[in-house]
Amino acid sequence: MSTFDLTSDLPAYKELQELYNTKGSKLNTNDEFKAHSDRFEKYSKEFTNFDGSKILFDFSKNIFDDEIFAKLQELAKQANVTELRDALFKGDHINTTEDRAVYHVALRNRANKPMYVDGKNVAPEVDAVLQHIKEFSNQVRSGEWKGYTGKAITDIVNIGIGGSDLGPVMVTEALKHYSSPNLNAHFVSNIDGTHIAETLKKCNPETTLFLIASKTFTTAETITNANSAKSWFLESVKDTAHIAKHFVALSTNAEEVAKFGIDTSNMFGFENWVGGRYSVWSAIGTSVALYIGYDNFEAFLKGAEAFDQHFIETAASDNIPLIGGLLSVWYNNFFDAQTHLVAPFDQYLHRFPAYLQQLSMESNGKSVTRGNSFTNYSTGSILFGEPATNAQHSFFQLVHQGTKVIPADFILAAQSHNPIENNLHQKMLASNYFAQAEALLTGKDAAQVEAEGAKGGLVPHKVFSGNRPTTSILAQKITPATLGALISYYEHVTFVEGAVWNINSFDQWGVELGKVLAKAIGKQLEDKEAVANHDASTNGLINKFKEWSL
């Protein structure tokens, strides 16, 4: 395997820059469709899941031609993307700054094939945790697991932060159609006391189950919220012995879990090769299994596993996440695109963009290569999004007529879980899904605007340049298996980006400094004394806060 440090030094990168300068920046995708009648067939790829369901990924509306596509494939080859992918799936320590494996793919290994980290087959341990989740979730959902007064559980409160919150929140919302009518799911992550206070107003101590999601059981925000939940519970219950029936831990720190009062038999663990933003497949997904049932949770895992196999086995020219990742690099590094829009045309997926924000920006918000050099090229996109059609009435104006290139992913299910009014709503939704992508592609020139009756100075205001890139993702239906595959797709897109940029996509040192400073400042907020050891602005803000709050 060849070695490199700066991606910009690779021959293919330099050739892509030349291609961008000579034709890429002027390339019109409309003209490419006119010149190549098979463009849609060539650049749309269909994925078949383990259950036979399908997802179509249409890349044909993106700004590239055959020569650029081939050169992007060559860039992936020179950047050793395949070798790094294979290292990930072998359990190698590709998280070099923390000397860890990156092995979330082992969490959805429902084939139970041997998968090794440091010489140990982790498949039996992964399966054992899943069987524990299965037993527990079945007990709670059936009513066999009862609270301290003998009543069945009606409310689940997951207390976590970051990946211990965003994943379960997103998945439970996305798969709400599959939920039990007898269980409500709540999620608390913000240290702002309002979050837990408002959540607890909806709960009854007799029928509420708390899941405390913290690998180390020392995460400051999570443990503070957990202690507040425990205080609320004990105000009514009085007896700490009852904590065992109402609190479980998604953690590996048995000592701290026991100290909190949780029975360690109600502890669900996971290893240090599970990163937070990749942890919904692990014990962190216990709230998902409780909410939608274990069988659906396992289908979710199998959907991701099937897409993993596509990523491993499929040739580069047809490899869906490889294509998605390379197009992201193409826009980021050559078109100077700063952002990436993900717009699900599906209300159940309303938290999907927020989930992808952490996956993408925490992974690839890096400026140092694996060779310890600062990059001289852009890495990481600002990912944003909201469900359409709402988004069309807020920020789509910028996407259509603004000065920035904003690559966009549009996601739709052909079949709705709620086909009300003779499926009228879904047809209207679909018409917008197709129309927005078409409008961004074709635009509208001055002649068309004038033909519609506009005159004079109004004409340029109604012109749409078109040639704005979109990727359309069309699923048959948003099922647990489909959602698993979609998340796996974006995980691997993120992986490909990071591999090409030669950065470590699996650490997150950027979140540490603020935590350290917050801990020190927290102690200063305990009294009324003025502070003077920060910059002038921070001193002023802290002192004003003390004046107003203490």
Side-chain angles (χ1 to χ4, degrees):
M1 182 173 71
S2 61
T3 59
F4 72 103
D5 189 11
L6 293 174
T7 306
S8 54
D9 290 338
L10 295 174
Y13 189 95
K14 295 174 180 177
E15 290 161 2
L16 279 165
Q17 186 64 65
E18 182 63 22
L19 279 174
Y20 173 79
N21 293 340
T22 56
K23 68 173 180 178
S25 60
K26 308 173 190 70
L27 192 70
N28 189 290
T29 310
N30 282 293
D31 295 339
E32 290 299 308
F33 274 106
K34 292 172 185 175
H36 305 282
S37 59
D38 64 342
R39 183 176 174 87
F40 171 75
E41 287 73 19
K42 182 185 291 187
Y43 291 121
S44 63
K45 309 294 178 182
E46 192 172 286
F47 165 74
T48 302
N49 216 324
F50 79 94
D51 60 357
S53 62
K54 299 179 186 299
I55 309 173
L56 180 68
F57 295 78
D58 177 19
F59 298 108
S60 64
K61 290 188 176 77
N62 284 281
I63 307 170
F64 68 98
D65 63 8
D66 292 351
E67 184 180 15
I68 293 168
F69 184 71
K71 193 57 64 179
L72 286 168
Q73 299 283 322
E74 179 61 25
L75 178 64
K77 184 177 181 180
Q78 293 179 13
N80 306 316
V81 172
T82 297
E83 289 85 347
L84 192 65
R85 176 203 66 193
D86 292 346
L88 180 150
F89 279 89
K90 285 192 300 182
D92 293 350
H93 286 211
I94 65 170
N95 180 351
T96 52
T97 64
E98 297 179 298
D99 192 23
R100 291 179 183 172
V102 178
Y103 224 27
H104 49 276
V105 293
L107 297 169
R108 53 235 196 181
N109 171 29
R110 299 318 301 134
N112 277 324
K113 61 188 178 186
M115 297 185 77
Y116 291 89
V117 174
D118 299 327
K120 177 186 176 183
N121 178 15
V122 301
E125 180 184 343
V126 168
D127 188 63
V129 172
L130 287 173
Q131 295 311 314
H132 189 191
I133 292 172
K134 179 179 182 178
E135 178 187 29
F136 176 65
S137 60
N138 286 344
Q139 286 177 333
V140 172
R141 287 170 61 84
S142 68
E144 180 185 345
W145 182 287
K146 300 189 187 318
Y148 73 99
T149 60
K151 296 179 180 178
I153 298 299
T154 59
D155 290 85
I156 303 156
V157 180
N158 187 93
I159 298 178
I161 199 167
S164 299
D165 173 77
L166 283 167
V169 169
M170 182 274 290
V171 175
T172 52
E173 285 296 300
L175 300 179
K176 185 176 285 188
H177 176 78
Y178 298 89
S179 65
S180 166
N182 301 319
L183 278 177
N184 303 306
H186 314 275
F187 295 85
V188 174
S189 58
N190 201 331
I191 195 58
D192 183 343
T194 299
H195 202 180
I196 190 149
E198 289 295 334
T199 300
L200 294 177
K201 285 179 183 178
K202 306 168 190 172
C203 298
N204 179 346
E206 296 180 70
T207 58
T208 299
L209 177 70
F210 293 95
L211 309 181
I212 313 304
S214 172
K215 185 189 296 185
T216 63
F217 223 74
T218 58
T219 307
E221 297 91 343
T222 298
I223 300 307
T224 300
N225 278 325
N227 280 319
S228 296
K230 182 168 71 170
S231 296
W232 171 84
F233 178 73
L234 291 175
E235 279 179 18
S236 297
V237 178
K238 310 301 182 188
D239 187 350
T240 58
H242 294 313
I243 289 174
K245 279 294 183 183
H246 292 267
F247 286 79
V248 301
L250 314 181
S251 178
T252 55
N253 191 338
E255 183 179 349
E256 288 297 323
V257 167
K259 191 184 298 183
F260 185 89
I262 295 175
D263 186 339
T264 53
S265 64
N266 299 333
M267 190 172 83
F268 301 82
F270 49 102
E271 295 298 326
N272 69 0
W273 40 258
V274 181
R277 54 193 175 277
Y278 300 96
S279 64
V280 71
W281 320 101
S282 73
I284 292 298
T286 301
S287 58
V288 178
L290 286 163
Y291 193 56
I292 67 173
Y294 181 80
D295 289 346
N296 286 319
F297 183 63
E298 184 157 59
F300 171 66
L301 299 177
K302 286 182 176 179
E305 179 186 31
F307 204 90
D308 290 343
Q309 292 307 305
H310 168 88
F311 186 43
I312 295 169
E313 298 169 356
T314 307
S317 60
D318 293 313
N319 196 298
I320 294 168
L322 180 64
I323 296 170
L326 289 173
L327 285 172
S328 178
V329 170
W330 175 234
Y331 294 125
N332 192 306
N333 293 91
F334 302 98
F335 284 78
D336 196 27
Q338 300 293 308
T339 59
H340 188 107
L341 166 63
V342 177
F345 285 68
D346 191 302
Q347 185 59 30
Y348 281 130
L349 292 176
H350 70 105
R351 294 294 293 167
F352 197 51
Y355 173 79
L356 295 181
Q357 282 177 337
Q358 184 191 23
L359 172 63
S360 176
M361 293 196 284
E362 191 170 72
S363 294
N364 289 339
K366 315 289 171 59
S367 57
V368 177
T369 69
R370 290 197 294 263
N372 307 321
S373 300
F374 282 94
T375 66
N376 58 4
Y377 45 85
S378 175
T379 66
S381 297
I382 301 166
L383 191 146
F384 73 106
E386 283 290 328
T389 55
N390 284 5
Q392 293 168 208
H393 294 269
S394 55
F395 56 76
F396 266 43
Q397 170 64 41
L398 180 67
V399 183
H400 279 283
Q401 287 187 305
T403 59
K404 297 172 172 59
V405 176
I406 304 176
D409 296 353
F410 292 165
I411 304 171
L412 176 74
Q415 301 170 34
S416 172
H417 286 294
N418 301 290
I420 60 176
E421 299 290 339
N422 196 30
N423 214 28
L424 172 64
H425 289 261
Q426 191 68 6
K427 290 175 183 176
M428 288 182 66
L429 187 69
S431 68
N432 280 277
Y433 167 83
F434 298 123
Q436 289 294 327
E438 183 177 34
L440 286 164
L441 170 70
T442 60
K444 184 187 287 188
D445 61 23
Q448 290 174 288
V449 172
E450 289 173 347
E452 292 172 357
K455 296 180 180 179
L458 183 59
V459 172
H461 294 278
K462 291 195 169 187
V463 167
F464 291 74
S465 65
N467 204 36
R468 309 263 170 144
T470 59
T471 296
S472 295
I473 302 173
L474 179 63
Q476 287 182 296
K477 199 170 193 175
I478 302 300
T479 64
T482 300
L483 183 65
L486 283 175
I487 298 172
S488 179
Y489 165 71
Y490 280 103
E491 285 181 353
H492 296 318
V493 164
T494 302
F495 170 87
V496 170
E497 293 170 339
V500 171
W501 290 323
N502 198 29
I503 56 176
N504 181 2
S505 299
F506 306 106
D507 60 13
Q508 53 278 330
W509 298 108
V511 304
E512 296 299 320
L513 179 58
K515 287 184 176 181
V516 172
L517 294 177
K519 191 172 182 179
I521 291 171
K523 294 179 180 177
Q524 293 180 320
L525 298 181
E526 294 174 1
D527 58 49
K528 296 183 179 182
E529 295 298 318
V531 302
N533 63 321
H534 304 277
D535 63 90
S537 171
T538 304
N539 286 335
L541 288 167
I542 291 174
N543 292 332
K544 184 57 69 174
F545 175 85
K546 287 189 171 194
E547 178 188 336
W548 286 354
S549 66
L550 296 179

